[in-house]
Amino acid sequence: MLLRVRVTLPDRPGALGQVARTLGVAGADIVQVVVLERLGGRAVDDFTVVWPGASRVERLLAGLAAIPGVQVDGVWKAIGAPVNGGHDAELLAQVAANPADGLATLVDAVPGLLAADWAAAAVVPADWAARSGAPRPLPAEPTLNLGGDATIAYASWRAPGPLQLPEITPLRARPITGPEGIRYAVAPFGRAGLVLVVARQDDDEMPAAGFHITEVDRVAQLVRAAAVILGDRLDAAAVPAVM
C-alpha cells in the first residue's frame, strides 16, 4: 500500500534524517520526499512510502509523535506511483494533443498528481455562496443549470455520486475544508463559471492532510494552462447537452 505522510518538523540538520529513520523502523519503505515549505525554522515535508498492508498505521503515527518538534499533519493513501512537476507538462501535452477530450483528461489525471481521491469540473454560479450557507447536492449526471445551482461538467471515476460540494465562488484558487472534514483544492478556469475541484477524504484511522498552498498553486497553474489550450471548448463543456 502506498501512503503519503505529511509532517512538520524543525528545519535543522538531522531532523529529516530522524524522521526517515523512524519511518524505516516502523516498517515504511520511503520512495519519495518532497519539501513543500521551509519558513521560520520549520519545514513541511511529504513522504511517499510503501507500507505493509497488514500493519496498523497507529504504529507509524506513534513513532513520529515521539520525535521532539515533529507534528504529523496527515497520512493518507496515494493513488499510483509518486509523481512530480515533470508530469504536469506531459499532462498538458496530452490535453493539447486531444482537445476534444481535454477537460476529461485533466480531471482524470489530477487526483494521481496530487495524491487525491477524486476531482470534478463544476459549473458554479458566481453568487452561489452568497445565496445559501448550506452545501448543495450536485447531480451525478450532467443536467441543465436551470435552477441556478452548480452542475457537473465532468467527474473522475472515483468521485462519489451524487456529489456534495462546499460553498464555492469561483474567484481564486484556494484550499477549503468542507462537510465531514473533506479537504478540497479549487481553482477557476476563468470561463463560464467552470471550476476544478480536487478532494481528499479521511480513510478509517488515516486523517488526510489539507491541500498545501504549493499544491493549490500547482492546480491553479494546470487549470490556467489548460484554459489557454482549450479556449472556447470550455464554454461548450459548461453547457451539458439536452437529451
Side-chain angles (χ1 to χ4, degrees):
M1 178 169 60
L2 202 64
L3 294 182
R4 186 70 60 88
V5 183
R6 180 168 300 171
V7 298
T8 299
L9 66 158
D11 188 12
R12 61 170 183 257
L16 182 60
Q18 192 173 6
V19 171
R21 287 192 298 273
T22 301
L23 288 171
V25 170
D29 181 15
I30 300 173
V31 294
Q32 185 186 58
V33 182
V34 176
V35 179
L36 297 176
E37 177 183 306
R38 298 181 69 178
L39 183 66
R42 304 283 286 173
V44 180
D45 293 351
D46 269 3
F47 293 81
T48 303
V49 304
V50 176
W51 180 252
S55 300
R56 295 189 63 82
V57 176
E58 286 93 337
R59 178 184 176 188
L60 183 150
L61 297 175
L64 293 173
I67 305 174
V70 170
Q71 172 185 316
V72 180
D73 297 328
V75 179
W76 68 101
K77 291 181 181 178
I79 302 172
V83 294
N84 52 39
H87 289 73
D88 295 4
E90 180 180 348
L91 169 58
L92 292 172
Q94 293 173 0
V95 172
N98 185 14
D101 295 324
L103 183 61
T105 299
L106 179 71
V107 173
D108 282 334
V110 164
L113 294 180
L114 293 169
D117 290 296
W118 54 267
V123 184
V124 182
D127 65 342
W128 186 32
R131 285 189 276 111
S132 174
R136 296 175 181 268
L138 301 182
E141 300 296 332
T143 60
L144 274 179
N145 190 0
L146 299 177
D149 293 338
T151 59
I152 295 297
Y154 185 83
S156 64
W157 69 276
R158 290 172 58 92
L163 286 178
Q164 186 175 28
L165 298 184
E167 300 170 1
I168 300 172
T169 300
L171 300 177
R172 60 182 175 84
R174 63 192 188 278
I176 295 174
T177 298
E180 300 180 0
I182 300 175
R183 283 76 168 179
Y184 298 95
V186 299
F189 285 86
R191 303 185 70 114
L194 199 62
V195 180
L196 182 64
V197 182
V198 191
R200 285 188 189 130
Q201 299 178 232
D202 294 343
D203 181 9
D204 298 328
E205 75 274 16
M206 296 187 292
F211 287 90
H212 192 268
I213 186 61
T214 58
E215 295 178 299
V216 176
D217 287 345
R218 186 179 181 187
V219 173
Q221 290 170 12
L222 283 169
V223 166
R224 285 195 296 267
V228 172
I229 295 170
L230 298 177
D232 294 343
R233 290 179 182 272
L234 291 178
D235 298 333
V239 182
V242 179
M243 301 303 292

